[in-house]
Amino acid sequence: MAMPSLFSEYWRLEDVLQKHKVLKAALVIQNWYRSYCARWKARQRYALTIFQSIEYADEQGQLQLSNFFSFMLENYTHIHEKDPELVARLFGSTLQDCKDRQEYVSFIDVPDSYNGPRLQFPLTFTDIDLLVEAFKQQQILHAHYVLEVLFETKRVLKQMPNFTHVKTSPSKELTICGDLHGKLDDLFLIFYKNGLPSGSNSYIFNGDFVDRGKHSIEILMILFVSFLVYPNDLHLNRGNHEDFMMNLRYGFTKEILHKYKMHGKKILQILEDVYTWLPIGTIIDNEILVIHGGISESTDLNLLHRIERNKMKSVLMPPIPLVEDHDTDLKTNKVGATLIPRELKTNGSLSEQLTKHEWEQVIDILWSDPRDKRGCYPNTSRGGGCYFGPDITSKVLNKYQLKMLIRSHECKPEGYEICHDGKVVTVFSASNYYEEGSNRGAYIKLCCDMTPRFFQYQVTRTTCSRPLYQRVNVIESSAIRILKERMISRKTDLIHAFQLQDCSKSGKLSMGQWAFSMENILGLNLPWRSLSSHLVTTDNNGNINYMSSFQDIHIQKPVKEAQSTLIETLYRYRTDLQIIFNVIDSDHSGLISMEEFRAMWKLFNSHYSIHIDDFQIDELAERMDLNKDGSIDFNEFLKAFYVVHKLDKLNKSDGNPP
């Protein structure tokens, strides 16, 4: 009987050894897979860093552009005499109360042939459902109804305080959504998962409803109609993109003019006014502060409760001091701020401004970002607001007996982020913000005396079926593409910086020298060493052939004879220039005179310290006047400046889409 027992022991031992091998193999595979995922996730983070760095650099450029308009008023001779409407547009209010619905809406008929949604005033829940279903079918709301909604929204908003105070209860939860940025599918998904707004389903939408995405007006209409139906249960905070100057750069203005060709300018004009009446924050249960951006060491909630928020026409336009002066020339004070003579007021609008201190308070709550570093210091990435550390958070919350700050304003890979020992929460609701698959969206649910709960989602079409490496490759390729476009716009400056480092004139630099030059010229805080394999070629010794930075990309020249420096400058500042000329194009003809072009370009040249000779500008202006009638179609001209990627050409030659 001993023999079978021996065999049994043997087989049991074999079984144990086999299981041990299987377990060991499983652990090896698991470790490999975790390492594999970590590498791809790291590459995804690098790509997101590129997107975010360029996004913030553009915002910094937008703030610099705002400074240019002040500079323009100082230096553009007799601008107030020639175009007082421009002064009022930049620094005053655009819409007089006397321009009521009758003047704007009654003359716009809805034809019988219109088959889109028809709203019935006063609005009800049925209208919310009607809009949502219509927009799912990609229908356009008629301009008559858009204007009606905007006027009614303004009327109700004017009755509201700067900060909305709301209460939760054990039986009534509150949902907080962050930036949507025209991503209508994200709003649909939130409503699908969480329900439409109602008396028992309250929402806070924390700003940045518009820009970047293609469906900003649809989001605004759904939110405004929901607000009008449930003014005590749907709350709207102003973000830094609820601003006509931001809309000019980031797409909403273009969207409106495309969808509403006949009445788009009226819609935009009224929207500018509606923005100014949006509340700037919400306070929940007297414990949780909800604002779009953040705080600073000088944030004064008592002052922010009192300011006349409708005077903040654009957060990008600082207040312009008024002086009692009967001279027609604009003057400047000792610190360089523009002084507008009081007689130039248009309908009194220029006196309707916040003080500089009040303006700075609003800038801080709309533009600031939290950081781990203690203290409060300038937000150098965005160019506006500040970075605030955990000590600042504790100081401000304690001062006003608050427990938590909920804010938005920053894209987060997981849709939300908790920092400052749980006292600051960032929520961002636009998934796929930079590229499909780049980030999740999220919303927060709050109930009385309970910890916030986070709900994540991602609108998916094709990405859900792709493996990780393919999803990351798409994001990474898109990020590298826009980074290369940034590089080609500074080609001359980069080559000059490279050559200063290349003492031996070999055409090569060390990795450190190349990274230093890239950082110094582009001003982007990026992991250049890690990104180098996507941007340049290296030799066997690890030295970089710096001219390979530009080997697969160039700017298309609409004027062949123009110098490269001029072409790069026009490409780099094309968005700024387009905004400037669209603002001064007061009759919206799309044309500006040769004289205006030369005068404005010279101011732009001076303010941005661009070294372009006047004769080049004069020659360019002559070539831009295609039919020699003394006028320039500037928007069409700027469209001629675009970057050509070698990969695009190869794809097209192969018959594949780029």
Side-chain angles (χ1 to χ4, degrees), residues 27-88:
L27 288 172
V28 169
I29 293 171
Q30 185 184 62
N31 289 335
W32 173 86
Y33 184 71
R34 284 176 175 172
S35 176
Y36 170 84
C37 288
R39 288 196 301 273
W40 283 102
K41 288 290 185 182
R43 289 175 65 170
Q44 183 178 19
R45 284 195 300 273
Y46 287 150
L48 292 179
T49 301
I50 295 172
F51 282 124
Q52 198 164 61
S53 295
I54 292 177
E55 177 190 7
Y56 291 173
D58 283 343
E59 289 182 346
Q60 194 174 76
Q62 181 72 359
L63 289 164
Q64 187 179 11
L65 178 62
S66 302
N67 294 333
F68 169 77
F69 284 117
S70 297
F71 177 80
M72 179 181 76
L73 286 177
E74 291 179 41
N75 293 276
Y76 193 12
T77 307
H78 304 304
I79 187 173
H80 52 279
E81 291 178 335
K82 185 175 181 181
D83 196 357
E85 289 185 11
L86 173 58
V87 181

Side-chain angles (χ1 to χ4, degrees), residues 76-124:
Y76 193 12
T77 307
H78 304 304
I79 187 173
H80 52 279
E81 291 178 335
K82 185 175 181 181
D83 196 357
E85 289 185 11
L86 173 58
V87 181
R89 175 165 169 74
L90 292 175
F91 298 103
S93 62
T94 57
L95 199 63
Q96 302 172 43
D97 286 333
C98 63
K99 291 185 176 180
D100 57 12
R101 293 186 187 188
Q102 285 296 108
E103 188 171 343
Y104 270 81
V105 180
S106 59
F107 299 109
I108 302 176
D109 293 324
V110 181
D112 294 337
S113 59
Y114 170 70
N115 58 5
R118 293 175 181 268
L119 303 181
Q120 299 290 329
F121 290 83
L123 298 165
T124 66

Side-chain angles (χ1 to χ4, degrees), residues 251-289:
F252 187 35
T253 299
K254 188 176 181 180
E255 177 189 332
I256 291 290
L257 294 175
H258 173 71
K259 291 179 179 176
Y260 297 96
K261 293 180 174 61
M262 186 177 297
H263 304 292
K265 293 180 179 68
K266 289 182 182 177
I267 292 171
L268 289 170
Q269 187 181 30
I270 299 167
L271 256 176
E272 288 181 27
D273 216 29
V274 173
Y275 285 160
T276 67
W277 288 105
L278 285 168
I280 55 178
T282 305
I283 297 177
I284 304 169
D285 296 331
N286 293 320
E287 293 182 343
I288 300 173
L289 175 64

Side-chain angles (χ1 to χ4, degrees), residues 354-370:
L354 298 179
T355 66
K356 187 172 185 293
H357 178 61
E358 291 171 335
W359 175 80
E360 288 170 346
Q361 288 279 312
V362 179
I363 285 286
D364 283 343
I365 67 169
L366 294 184
W367 281 82
S368 297
D369 296 308

Side-chain angles (χ1 to χ4, degrees), residues 432 454 485 510 575:
N432 309 306
F454 300 92
E485 290 178 4
S510 69
T575 305

